Amino acid sequence: MSSCKKKRNPVGSSALSSETLMNSSSVDTFQLKTYTVEEDSIYSMDPSFNLIGSYVDEIYGRVEANFYTQLTLSGFSPDFGNLSEVAIDSAVMAFEYGGYYGNLTEQLFEAYEISDELTRDSSYLRTSVAGVIPQQLVPTLNNEGLITPNPLKASVVGSDTLNPQLRIPMDTVFARNLLSLAQNSTNDADFLQSFKGLHFKVNNGMQSAGEGTILYLSTTKPASKMTVYYTKNGEKGSYDFIVNGSAIDFNHVETDYSGTKVEQLINDSTLGETEFYAQSFSTRAKIEFSSIDSLPKNIIIHQATLELPVNYYKGSNFYPSSEIIASSEPFGNGIKYSIYEGKTSVLYNSTKKSYVLDLRKHIQGIIQGKIPNSGIFISPKNYNSTVERIVFNGVNTQNKKKPKLSIVYTVL
């Protein structure tokens, strides 16, 4: 469906003559096709955040995240002397928070030693796993791994007040073994030959819709480290194992949307007329606008704006992404070519509760036959580092605002 009318002040009017303006037309609406496509092979190595936790969403079902990471030495060949004379007081794995998604509830955290070597030339995907030694390294006697995360509260460590942290207690026997390996390692490569890294996960069992959260951990921040606290000859000491930029890490993310609206839409794309979805690590939104093929070929596009309203109520912790990216083809691990006008991503407009995309360059390329009119894919900007999801209004939504493509052009 389309309608045409004269437009007094189209975008770019300052550069157009009054005669040209009189010949400008505005096509207010085009027929859109909106739906959701599923993705499998999502690259997950060296993410901005390591992810851990689980939640259940009434739209997307259950989402669970865990990660694998190497640890490196804070100092080579540390001298602890005779370790049989060293008492291990405690050991804590600390991660500085980078954010969270969902509702903060108690979760059971676990850690395991990795048995497989992590290599830089491997292509770790969101489905990738590494072998682990089955011994649980978080003490269980007093449910030490049962933690309610609080990313909004500062952490106090000794006399220091630090940025909020997830602090996971670690087994002291394991910690002693790490000190021994560190003492006999002259560099990180030596250390990693004997110690491959750690796998961190949760064991939450059943959760109800709206329950649970996934934490975003800034693993490479200086405060993110494993600290072993010890006493030797009556003197207190500590040693840190860190995650530096050379350490290999990757996220493992599982999504189970069986029986949900997402699964129904993937199986029947016509349901996207009501609402459609995008979620990091799993799905992307697809918008097609084949109706623009009816536009004349001898036109100059002055403005082409695609507005995508979302279904979101203020205060929900299942919030839409603050930024989205769009592509002319499925991403794989990158964008085929940019469809934007002078920017690489689009911010969420909280006032309009929409994303507004400038597609002038893209639409002009289609009209000129330089770009195939195969639609665009939309997804959260941090697609392999968060678990954000977006619920878009479809063209036949019962909500007030619908997706809309508006074009201002001049016939030459």
Side-chain angles (χ1 to χ4, degrees), residues 9 34 36 107 127 139 144 146 174 182 207 212 240 243 253 275 284 294-295 302 352 409:
N9 296 299
T34 55
T36 294
Q107 303 198 60
T127 54
E144 288 89 339
L146 204 57
F174 164 71
Q207 291 175 306
D240 295 331
V243 183
V253 180
E275 63 182 24
R284 303 186 195 271
S294 61
L295 286 172
H302 304 300
K352 292 185 175 183
Y409 66 89

Side-chain angles (χ1 to χ4, degrees), residues 300-318:
I300 294 178
I301 304 294
H302 304 300
Q303 179 180 357
T305 302
L306 176 64
E307 183 171 358
L308 299 175
V310 304
N311 184 358
Y312 168 70
Y313 65 89
K314 188 176 181 180
S316 170
N317 286 324
F318 295 112

Side-chain angles (χ1 to χ4, degrees), residues 105-210:
T105 53
E106 188 177 67
Q107 303 198 60
L108 180 60
F109 294 87
E110 297 180 347
Y112 298 88
E113 184 176 348
I114 299 172
S115 57
D116 291 341
E117 181 181 2
L118 303 184
T119 60
R120 179 59 59 184
D121 58 354
S122 297
S123 297
Y124 293 109
L125 306 176
R126 69 110 167 179
T127 54
S128 297
V129 297
V132 299
I133 298 171
Q135 180 185 358
Q136 224 277 80
L137 298 177
V138 178
T140 59
L141 182 62
N142 297 308
N143 286 329
E144 288 89 339
L146 204 57
I147 302 170
T148 301
N150 193 344
L152 307 178
K153 182 180 179 181
S155 295
V156 178
V157 181
S159 59
D160 297 326
T161 300
L162 307 174
N163 289 335
Q165 295 180 353
L166 173 66
R167 296 181 62 81
I168 303 174
M170 301 293 288
D171 180 76
T172 55
V173 174
F174 164 71
R176 179 185 294 278
N177 291 337
L178 276 194
L179 291 185
S180 177
L181 293 176
Q183 188 166 240
N184 294 302
S185 299
T186 58
N187 53 50
D188 286 333
D190 285 347
F191 179 67
L192 291 171
Q193 282 295 315
S194 303
F195 176 69
K196 311 303 183 187
L198 290 171
H199 177 213
F200 291 93
K201 64 186 293 290
V202 293
N203 184 2
N204 290 329
M206 294 294 294
Q207 291 175 306
S208 301

